[in-house]
Amino acid sequence: RSNVWSIAIIEEHKLMAVGADQGNLSIFSYETKKHITDLYGHVSYVNDIIYFPETKRMISACAEGNIIIWEYGAKEEFVQKNLITGLPYIYRIIPLSSQNFVLIYNKKQYVEIYDIEERRSKKRIDAFSSEGGLSLYVDLKSNNIIAGGRDRSLCVIGNSN
């Protein structure tokens, strides 16, 4: 048994992806609670998981700075499509209005808008004066990013485009 660090619900397939501290994702049926399979590829605990129903992609991020893009294939299973390495410590990833972008939030006091298709950073925004932050929120109507820091500060970063 391992600790649960992240959960994503995949409603269209009635699945739940659970990120664990051993670097794996466990896939369960959320109706029957039955374990279906494990996905491997991360080297440390899986901090966050998001699922894009439009593209049938799931993205998982681990603390060591790796992102894996999983694709739900014709055989009704997730297949590893891409592995992106060398990123800073990842706390959280947040989907933006475009499925091609993921916001990467890390311990280095900045947020990064990352293009999954091009596998590169599109924009870096310095966000905090203190060590790390606690929370991020993306307003999809305005594309503003609101960040809360450990020093009890709130920061409206501005348009994420």
Side-chain angles (χ1 to χ4, degrees), residues 88-150:
Y89 185 100
I90 298 168
Y91 279 135
R92 188 152 178 230
I93 51 179
I94 301 173
L96 298 177
S97 53
S98 167
Q99 282 72 35
N100 292 332
F101 290 90
V102 171
L103 183 65
I104 300 168
Y105 170 54
N106 59 60
K107 189 171 163 174
K108 304 275 186 193
Q109 290 105 17
Y110 61 88
V111 295
E112 193 169 343
I113 298 174
Y114 199 86
D115 186 317
I116 297 167
E117 298 300 321
E118 295 180 17
R119 296 176 64 150
R120 68 180 186 88
S121 175
K122 296 287 253 187
K123 187 176 185 180
R124 175 181 159 159
I125 306 161
D126 292 315
F128 301 103
S129 58
S130 66
E131 175 67 25
L134 296 177
S135 185
L136 282 178
Y137 172 77
V138 177
D139 180 354
L140 293 178
K141 289 182 183 175
S142 67
N143 271 344
N144 283 333
I145 301 167
I146 302 166
R150 289 181 193 248

Side-chain angles (χ1 to χ4, degrees), residues 64-84:
E64 295 298 320
N66 296 333
I67 291 177
I68 297 178
I69 302 168
W70 307 90
E71 206 162 78
Y72 196 76
K75 295 181 180 180
E76 295 191 355
E77 62 187 10
F78 282 101
V79 177
Q80 184 174 328
K81 181 177 165 108
N82 284 319
L83 172 65
I84 301 167

